[in-house]
Structure formats: structure tokens, C-alpha cells
Amino acid sequence: MKIKFPFKKNKLSPEKQYYFLTAFFIILAVSAISIISTRSISNAIVNERGQFVMEITQKQIDADLSPKIFEETNQAVLNQKLNSFFGEIKTHDIVRMKVYDSQGKVIYSTDPSLVGKTFPDDNDLQAALKGKSSANLQDSDEAKDEDETAYPSLMEIYMPFSSGGIQKGVFEFYYDISGLDGNIIKLEILVDGIIISTSLLLLLAMILIYRRSAKQIGEAQQKEIEAAKNVSKLKDEFVFVAAHELSNPATVVKGFISLIEEEDLAKDERVRKYFSNIKSANEQLINIINELLEVARNDSGTLKVETSPQSISEIIKESLDKFKILAEGNKIDLQYKNQQALPDVIGNKEKLKEVIDNLVSNAIKYNKPAGKITISHEILPDRIITHVADTGLGIREEDKAHLFERFHRCHTDICNVSGTGLGLFIVKELITRMGGKIWAKSEFGKGSTFSFELPIAF
């Protein structure tokens, strides 16, 4: 059976859950210990008293009776002798007595109606006939005659009687132990009090140990958190400074490249080829620097995205104009399916351009030759969803969960596209800061669809 504790996840603090569980298990343990200990005490007292009664009755038998009692054939004489004997031991709280012969037949009883009867199913009697004495509590529901029910607590004692090594018979006594109940109850109360006091002290000690340990752990964790924050801060500062310092020479190189293009200084075809490679590498370097700077600003909390109503269709058209030549060069069909006027969305124009440029650029880079890219929209009551679908390489299942993590790159056996793995991470951060969300669906080998939603500007 499954135990259901009366608290749910996040309903109670870990500290309160610890207190509750500790108290619960201590109460459970105390209850079990109390039951076991009180039973042990009761049994010990009863057994001790049973031995005591057996000793005094044995002395009384030795003093008043002889083995010839079992040979008496006159029932009246037998009754007289045993009635006299019962009168002596009755002062020791013996309330009933039976005497059996060696065959287990009752030859005397304080209840005359039982004389002559046998009890073959009485295991204790059968053991006594073989020479084994016993003392056991007798439940009133198991009483053999009506008189026994008058006593709520009885001990049934069997004492074999032998002479010269020959078993002569068995004495059965019923000892009233109701007088012991008060002493037993007092001892049980005392023991329970000791157990409960000890348990409360144990609970208090466990609480103090937990609080001290929790405090020490908390202080250690706080130190680790502070150290990690300092390391992260230093890392962010280094990345920001390094990227910022790199941006200056990269910008200077870009300026000289523009000057060469304007003056048409690279007239030799071989020089033009080298110049084109230099220009491409410089643009790639600038993109990497810009991505690092954006991530550093995001991590430091200085990345600000101010939003206002924006025409997403116009931003998409500008982006497609920018990538049209690149798409044609790769024989990729770039389509924008927008047959209706779209309401403005809440966003930042420059950041939206960055998002669209990144998604379209990825769709081109990871597409197949003669592939297709389709941009479309869904208009919902309060938001617009934009889909950028391609017929490219697709995404493996193990990569899907990490798509928008920083520095995540696809398997090199699938694609050989350069990049930092920061683009989609930045896209997600920008979309989130503009009040939207982004997701992707993909089937490996058949293509991918990246979708993002932004709230409509009412």
C-alpha cells in the first residue's frame, strides 16, 4: 500500500517537509516501541507471577497431599480432601481448580459437573500429562465453564504430579491476575512517559542538527554562488572587452575594403578573387564579433530592446532583397506568401531584422541545392505567427532539444557550415524580450520550419 503524505510538491518548504517527516517517523517508531515494550513488561510480570504461584502451590501440594490421593476410589472422601486443599490455596487468589488422573480424566473440580470429563484437545493439558508444567493467560472467551467468565483476567496453570518417576496426574489452577492490572498500567504509563520524553528530545536534537547543517550548507552554497557569479562576471567582461577591441580593427579593414571597391583598385582577376575572400572573411569576423557582443550584453543585463508597432511584412521584404542574390547563387527558390495586409506587431525594427536575417540565412546555408524557402504567416486574434520553412537537411532528434542553446552546432557529418552556434540563441533572446516565443519543427532529411509569434499592436 502506498503511503500518501499530506503535502504536495512546492506546498511546504524543504525545512517543513523535513520536520513533518521526522515527526511522523518518530511517532511511528514510538508507537511500535511502546507496544512492544508494554507487551514485554506485561508478559514479564505475568510470567514472574506465574512462577511464583507455581512455587507456592507446589509447596502446598507437597505439604498437604500424597500420591495416594490419585488412588482414592471414594469420591466423597476425595472431594473432602481436595476441597480442604483448595481452601488453603484459595488465599493466594486461586479461584478454581481441577485435578486429572494419569489418563486426563477429571477426578475433581470446583465445578462438580466437570468430574469424569476429558479434554483431549487441550494441548497444555496433554503436555502436562507428559510432565511439562505451564502457565498461560486464559482469555475469558475461551473459558471452559461459566464460572471462569466471572474473572476478566485469569492465568491457567498446569502442574504435573509424579511419584517415584511415575506420572500420577495433573493439577490445573486458575489464578486471578486482575489485581496485577493496576501495577501493569502504572508501569506502562511510566515506560510510555520515558519513551515519549526520549523521542521529544531526539526530535529536538534532529531539528537542531538539521538547522545547523542547513545553515552551514546554505553558507557554503552562497559562497559558491558568489564565486560562480564573480567568475561569470569576469568571463562576460572579458568577452565584451575582447569583442569590442576586435571590432575596431575589423571595422577599419571593412573601410579599406569599401575604399578599394569604390576606386576599383583590384583590376587583376586573381587579385579580385583574393580580395573577395578577404571581404567574405572580414564580414564573417564582424558577424562573430557582433554575436559575441550581443551575448555579452544579454548576460550582463545591458541588452535593451525597446518595442513599438512594426510592419513585419516590410521588414521581411527588406531581408529578402538582401538575400535574393545569395539564394539565386545557390539555386534556391525564395518565396514570401503574403496575400493580405498584416496588422503591425509589437517589436523592435532592428532586432526584428536581425531575427529574420538569421532565420533566412540559416535556411539558405542548411538547404539543399535547388531547394526552396517559404515564408508565411498565421493571423490569430491577438498575435501573428511567422513561419520560415525550408526543404533542407533537417534536424536530428538528439539536436532538437538543444537548438536554441548557446554554442550548439549541428553534427559535422551532416553539414559543413561555419558559425559560432550563437545565432539561434540570440534569436530566441530577442523574440522573448519582444514578448513572443519561438519554436521549430523538423524532419531529418526533409527540411525544417522555424516559427515565432509576436503580439499584435492594437
Side-chain angles (χ1 to χ4, degrees), residues 71-137:
E71 300 173 3
E72 181 63 58
T73 57
N74 189 321
Q75 189 66 42
V77 174
L78 181 63
N79 287 344
Q80 182 181 3
K81 290 181 179 181
L82 291 176
N83 281 335
S84 176
F85 173 75
F86 178 69
E88 293 291 332
I89 63 172
K90 193 174 182 180
T91 58
H92 299 296
D93 293 327
I94 302 295
V95 297
R96 188 157 185 78
M97 183 179 80
K98 296 188 189 78
V99 181
Y100 302 86
D101 64 14
S102 61
Q103 302 303 314
K105 184 176 70 173
V106 178
I107 60 174
Y108 170 82
S109 174
T110 49
D111 179 3
S113 65
L114 298 177
V115 175
K117 291 185 178 181
T118 59
F119 301 96
D121 296 330
D122 190 330
N123 294 330
D124 291 328
L125 172 60
Q126 300 305 316
L129 289 170
K130 295 178 181 179
K132 183 179 180 182
S133 60
S134 63
N136 300 302
L137 290 179

Side-chain angles (χ1 to χ4, degrees), residues 71-296:
E71 300 173 3
E72 181 63 58
T73 57
N74 189 321
Q75 189 66 42
V77 174
L78 181 63
N79 287 344
Q80 182 181 3
K81 290 181 179 181
L82 291 176
N83 281 335
S84 176
F85 173 75
F86 178 69
E88 293 291 332
I89 63 172
K90 193 174 182 180
T91 58
H92 299 296
D93 293 327
I94 302 295
V95 297
R96 188 157 185 78
M97 183 179 80
K98 296 188 189 78
V99 181
Y100 302 86
D101 64 14
S102 61
Q103 302 303 314
K105 184 176 70 173
V106 178
I107 60 174
Y108 170 82
S109 174
T110 49
D111 179 3
S113 65
L114 298 177
V115 175
K117 291 185 178 181
T118 59
F119 301 96
D121 296 330
D122 190 330
N123 294 330
D124 291 328
L125 172 60
Q126 300 305 316
L129 289 170
K130 295 178 181 179
K132 183 179 180 182
S133 60
S134 63
N136 300 302
L137 290 179
Q138 173 69 42
D139 192 336
S140 60
D141 293 336
E142 299 173 355
K144 298 182 181 67
D145 56 79
E146 295 181 359
D147 288 347
E148 293 169 16
T149 61
Y151 302 95
S153 300
L154 292 175
M155 179 182 288
E156 193 175 18
I157 300 171
Y158 289 92
M159 296 182 61
F161 186 90
S162 62
S163 176
I166 299 173
Q167 187 70 33
K168 295 293 185 179
V170 173
F171 285 87
E172 181 183 5
F173 303 104
Y174 285 91
Y175 172 61
D176 180 14
I177 63 169
S178 57
L180 296 176
D181 290 346
N183 294 330
I184 292 174
I185 291 172
K186 289 179 182 178
L187 281 172
E188 288 177 350
I189 292 173
L190 177 62
V191 171
D192 287 345
I194 293 172
I195 292 173
I196 292 172
S197 300
T198 305
S199 301
L200 290 175
L201 289 174
L202 178 62
L203 176 60
L204 179 61
M206 292 182 72
I207 290 173
L208 291 175
I209 292 170
Y210 173 82
R211 291 178 71 89
R212 179 175 294 180
S213 300
K215 183 180 179 181
Q216 292 174 347
I217 293 171
E219 290 174 352
Q221 289 178 338
Q222 188 61 37
K223 289 180 180 179
E224 291 179 0
I225 291 171
E226 291 298 326
K229 285 182 178 178
N230 291 334
V231 171
S232 179
K233 184 178 179 181
L234 289 172
K235 180 202 69 175
D236 293 340
E237 289 176 354
F238 171 78
V239 171
F240 184 81
V241 171
H244 188 269
E245 291 300 319
L246 286 172
S247 67
N248 290 331
T251 303
V252 171
V253 172
K254 183 179 181 180
F256 279 109
I257 290 173
S258 298
L259 180 62
I260 292 173
E261 285 182 324
E262 290 175 1
E263 298 295 331
D264 196 20
L265 298 178
K267 297 180 180 180
D268 185 89
E269 186 62 31
R270 188 175 59 174
V271 174
R272 285 180 180 275
K273 182 179 180 181
Y274 293 154
F275 175 73
S276 176
N277 291 336
I278 293 171
K279 181 180 179 182
S280 176
N282 185 69
E283 288 177 352
Q284 185 178 352
L285 176 62
I286 290 174
N287 287 335
I288 292 173
I289 292 171
N290 289 336
E291 286 180 348
L292 289 172
L293 283 172
E294 196 133 30
V295 171

Side-chain angles (χ1 to χ4, degrees), residues 308-355:
S308 60
Q310 301 292 335
S311 172
I312 192 169
S313 59
E314 292 299 321
I315 294 172
I316 290 173
K317 289 175 182 177
E318 292 179 14
S319 178
L320 295 186
D321 288 341
K322 185 189 306 182
F323 288 100
K324 185 177 180 180
I325 296 176
L326 180 61
E328 289 176 351
N330 288 275
K331 297 181 180 180
I332 292 173
D333 183 14
L334 186 56
Q335 296 184 5
Y336 180 28
K337 293 185 176 181
N338 179 31
Q339 305 298 329
Q340 55 182 321
L342 294 175
D344 288 347
V345 297
I346 297 296
N348 178 285
K349 187 174 183 179
E350 294 304 317
K351 302 305 180 187
L352 268 175
K353 282 183 180 180
E354 191 172 343
V355 168

Side-chain angles (χ1 to χ4, degrees), residues 60 68 175 249 369:
Q60 201 73 40
K68 292 183 179 181
Y175 172 61

